[in-house]
Amino acid sequence: MKLLRSFCALAFLVAASGAAIAHAIVLSSTPSADAILKGAETAVEIRFNSRIDAGRSYLKLFKIDGDAVALPLADSSSEDTLKARATGLTPGHYRLHWQTLSPDGHISQGDIPFDVSR
């Protein structure tokens, strides 16, 4: 019985660690979280720790107390990066929402807040 409990605990730990590894995690982003940008336009680039399915991923830009805009994804030469261009930015608070699909079928998502100043 003790051996069975140990085996079940080990199987749970292996399964849990595999699930965590399968999700795409942001390694770097432009803009970075809490960045303060100037200007009406900026390049957006998010690099993940694993390959992603860019065809089933998206970026949306939310202006706090404003509308959301889907950002068209640009072609990326890297299989772990999402790229886009945000235009028409006015001063205020923004939230860049990303969602991506890992090749193993796991969906990951998150937000990157930033500000635009004059």
Side-chain angles (χ1 to χ4, degrees):
M1 188 65 157
K2 187 176 180 179
L3 181 61
L4 179 60
R5 282 189 201 152
S6 296
F7 176 76
C8 289
L10 180 61
F12 174 77
L13 289 173
V14 169
S17 66
I21 291 170
H23 291 77
I25 297 170
V26 174
L27 294 179
S28 63
S29 70
T30 301
S32 60
D34 301 321
I36 299 174
L37 307 178
K38 292 185 178 185
E41 188 172 323
T42 189
V44 174
E45 182 173 321
I46 303 176
R47 194 172 133 244
F48 297 91
N49 67 329
S50 64
R51 286 187 312 125
I52 55 169
D53 183 343
R56 296 182 182 179
S57 301
Y58 65 80
L59 295 170
K60 286 186 180 177
L61 185 63
F62 292 84
K63 183 169 184 182
I64 303 302
D65 66 16
D67 295 331
V69 177
L71 298 179
L73 295 178
D75 287 336
S76 176
S77 58
S78 177
E79 294 181 333
D80 63 356
T81 304
L82 291 177
K83 291 183 176 182
R85 186 142 204 94
T87 60
L89 300 174
T90 58
H93 303 288
Y94 289 84
R95 179 171 55 95
L96 178 65
H97 180 77
W98 59 268
Q99 179 173 309
T100 191
L101 180 69
S102 299
D104 61 4
H106 288 101
I107 293 174
S108 298
Q109 59 183 327
D111 296 301
I112 300 170
F114 65 94
D115 292 323
V116 173
S117 68
R118 295 188 187 266

